[in-house]
Amino acid sequence: MGQGVTKGWRGSLWRSMEQRRSMGQERPGGKSVGQERSVGGSVGQQGSEGGEGSPLQQQVEVMVREGRALAVLGWWELLRGLLVFALCSHPRLQQDPEVFLRASRRVLGAHLWRALLSVSLWGQFAVGRSPAAVQELGQRLRARGLRPLLALPIEGEGPDGEGEAWFEQNCGAALQCVGLAAASGPEPAMQLKITALVSQRLCVPGLTWLSPEENEHLGRGLRRLERVAQAAVAQAVQVLVDAEMSHLNPALTCLTWGLMWRHNRDGPRARVWHTWQAYLRDTERHLRAHLAQVGGAGLSCGVKLVRGAYLAQEQGRARARGCPAPTWDTPEQTSASFERCLRLLLGAGARPRSRLSLMVATHNEESALAALRGLSQVPPGSVCFGQLQGMGEHLSLALGAGGLPVYKSVALGPPEVTIPYLARRAAENRGALGGARRERQLLWAELRRRLRPWA
């Protein structure tokens, strides 16, 4: 790894990054950068020494601000990133990504369309479902101090609606994802969307209003969830349950709580994690109650903290129903909510005998650096970071170079499935598009640095 960084100051930077990552990571026996000191542990188990004002924190912050960690990218990765982020900034792709993709497929034809996606958008953000492809990705990430977080791009309904056959197919895909994650290296993890296994229509009514058919589907859905959870626990794969639309989240939280009760009672680390969205107005209040309930039940608690990815849908649904939106009105308010939730979680993690693990899942530099400065409050290894594969690389690589646990969420599947899904998420998440503009600026700066000796 680190091709294209072979001489001059780039070679010195790479060597210094290797040395920083080696601190606290390597041990006698020759393990390579990115390998863990124990197998079968939990997300974020690896220790770190980041604290406010520490040399590590200062080094990582400089690397993030200047984008110098991008020096480890190969020439092809650098040029592909510039191409992809130029595409992401195209107005038509931003306004209606699915229409853009369908139109481009008609113009180019299926084979050429797929080939071009494979070397551009799909190659940047996703990976195929073959074991060889996932293992190669895992090795590439871990060589740079990063880890894969496999995600199935399943949402909405199948081609024939929400039939049992569609849910069973999704269950099979989730079980395959468990196996692929388990083979991707130490500290494996995956994301799971509950509505891929249980009808989202069932998550809206109260349980007392279920028909006999709905009760039968609920039983089947619960069995599917348990099959995936049991397979993940047996293979030491941690399951990070996704949050979804706010009107579904109470039911999803209830189902996740059931999985936590069954699988998070033994051991110091969580096997099932829950996701909390800072862009919802009531998240801080619900998160505080959740921490109290988990602590009272004596469970290990895994929290993935995100800003949220359904802003336009949440606001549109609220307008259609004539009620206030459940989300904050401005990005600044969302960021303030994220920081409050982060402080709450760091404080909970600092308590004696805490069994809290936290993933700070953000592309926002200030939020990630705020978490980095707070690491001195919590036990070593109880906090990790998360970004999308192909996004926020300057942030991920800098944190990874500092020896901090960083996961890259990777969409799993062929281009026809993953690219429309990722396009919808990008259209919803305007903050991610803003991060793409920042990433493109840093990639251009890195390209100019490389070309300078030949100018």
Side-chain angles (χ1 to χ4, degrees):
M1 296 300 166
Q3 55 182 333
V5 189
T6 57
K7 60 181 181 178
W9 69 266
R10 291 193 297 274
S12 299
L13 173 61
W14 176 242
R15 286 191 295 273
S16 66
M17 290 171 64
E18 291 282 280
Q19 292 168 0
R20 279 195 291 268
R21 285 190 300 195
S22 297
M23 292 188 301
Q25 277 191 290
E26 292 191 344
R27 63 184 296 183
K31 284 196 174 184
S32 62
V33 172
Q35 287 186 298
E36 319 307 331
R37 289 173 291 178
S38 60
V39 177
S42 304
V43 171
Q45 184 175 352
Q46 190 173 0
S48 62
E49 298 178 0
E52 186 169 4
S54 71
L56 171 62
Q57 183 265 314
Q58 295 171 3
Q59 292 167 358
V60 171
E61 184 161 349
V62 169
M63 294 176 72
V64 169
R65 303 291 190 197
E66 298 181 357
R68 292 301 181 100
L70 295 175
V72 305
L73 296 181
W75 279 98
W76 168 239
E77 294 173 294
L78 180 62
L79 295 174
R80 183 183 64 191
L82 288 169
L83 170 64
V84 166
F85 291 127
L87 287 172
C88 290
S89 66
H90 193 285
R92 296 187 67 178
L93 182 59
Q94 290 188 16
Q95 290 168 5
D96 201 332
E98 292 190 82
V99 170
F100 181 90
L101 290 168
R102 286 196 299 268
S104 64
R105 181 167 183 165
R106 285 196 300 269
V107 171
L108 298 172
H111 293 296
L112 181 57
W113 179 83
R114 196 178 196 278
L116 291 176
L117 283 180
S118 295
V119 298
S120 58
L121 291 167
W122 186 82
Q124 182 82 5
F125 301 120
V127 68
R129 291 187 181 180
S130 72
V134 174
Q135 288 176 10
E136 191 277 333
L137 173 69
Q139 291 171 0
R140 186 169 72 250
L141 289 176
R142 290 176 186 279
R144 294 173 174 176
L146 310 176
R147 310 169 185 180
L149 174 63
L150 300 185
L152 288 172
I154 301 174
E155 65 177 4
E157 298 181 353
D160 301 318
E162 289 189 324
E164 287 296 330
W166 184 72
F167 289 112
E168 286 297 324
Q169 178 182 343
N170 293 344
C171 184
L175 291 170
Q176 181 188 21
C177 185
V178 171
L180 292 172
S184 68
E187 305 273 352
M190 62 174 283
Q191 293 174 231
L192 178 66
K193 194 177 290 289
I194 284 182
T195 55
L197 305 179
V198 179
S199 172
Q200 57 183 305
R201 295 188 182 94
L202 202 65
C203 297
V204 178
L207 293 180
T208 56
W209 293 91
L210 296 185
S211 66
E213 293 79 11
E214 289 173 328
N215 271 309
E216 183 178 356
H217 171 77
L218 176 60
R220 290 175 177 172
L222 292 175
R223 287 192 290 273
R224 282 188 287 265
L225 284 171
E226 183 60 15
R227 283 173 61 195
V228 174
Q230 285 183 351
V233 169
Q235 299 181 66
V237 176
Q238 291 161 110
V239 178
L240 281 70
V241 177
D242 283 330
E244 302 184 42
M245 293 283 288
S246 59
H247 66 288
L248 303 176
N249 281 342
L252 303 184
T253 299
C254 179
L255 292 172
T256 306
W257 176 265
L259 293 175
M260 293 172 60
W261 179 260
R262 289 180 66 87
H263 301 291
N264 286 7
R265 304 184 71 172
D266 300 325
R269 299 284 178 172
R271 294 165 175 166
V272 177
W273 295 49
H274 191 34
T275 300
W276 294 90
Q277 302 155 305
Y279 74 167
L280 297 177
R281 292 176 179 271
D282 57 4
T283 291
E284 185 181 1
R285 176 170 58 87
H286 289 320
L287 179 57
R288 196 179 298 274
H290 177 75
L291 293 174
Q293 291 170 345
V294 170
L299 305 179
S300 297
C301 180
V303 171
K304 178 185 174 187
L305 180 63
V306 303
R307 274 173 166 75
Y310 299 93
L311 181 61
Q313 291 184 41
E314 292 283 7
Q315 294 177 344
R317 184 175 185 274
R319 285 193 300 269
R321 296 169 64 87
C323 59
T327 60
W328 294 105
D329 297 325
T330 66
E332 292 76 17
Q333 289 176 322
T334 296
S335 292
S337 172
F338 190 97
E339 301 298 334
R340 290 195 301 273
C341 292
L342 178 59
R343 288 195 296 270
L344 171 64
L345 290 163
L346 290 174
R351 293 172 187 154
R353 296 181 297 280
S354 172
R355 296 168 67 187
L356 173 67
S357 297
L358 168 64
M359 175 181 283
V360 183
T362 180
H363 299 97
N364 184 283
E365 295 176 8
E366 298 304 325
S367 296
L369 293 175
L372 177 63
R373 298 180 192 113
L375 292 184
S376 60
Q377 307 174 34
V378 298
S382 60
V383 177
C384 63
F385 296 84
Q387 288 92 38
L388 293 173
Q389 169 70 355
M391 293 280 294
E393 297 296 89
H394 70 292
L395 180 58
S396 303
L397 290 168
L399 292 167
L404 299 163
V406 182
Y407 282 82
K408 300 295 283 186
S409 177
V410 188
L412 188 66
E416 294 84 355
V417 174
T418 55
I419 294 304
Y421 169 83
L422 291 168
R424 289 193 296 271
R425 295 281 65 78
E428 283 289 331
N429 192 350
R430 297 300 179 186
L433 292 175
R437 287 189 291 271
R438 162 76 168 152
E439 188 86 3
R440 185 170 56 166
Q441 293 171 354
L442 292 172
L443 288 170
W444 274 116
E446 173 58 26
L447 180 61
R448 287 192 295 269
R449 280 195 290 265
R450 296 191 188 187
L451 296 176
R452 194 172 298 144
W454 290 277

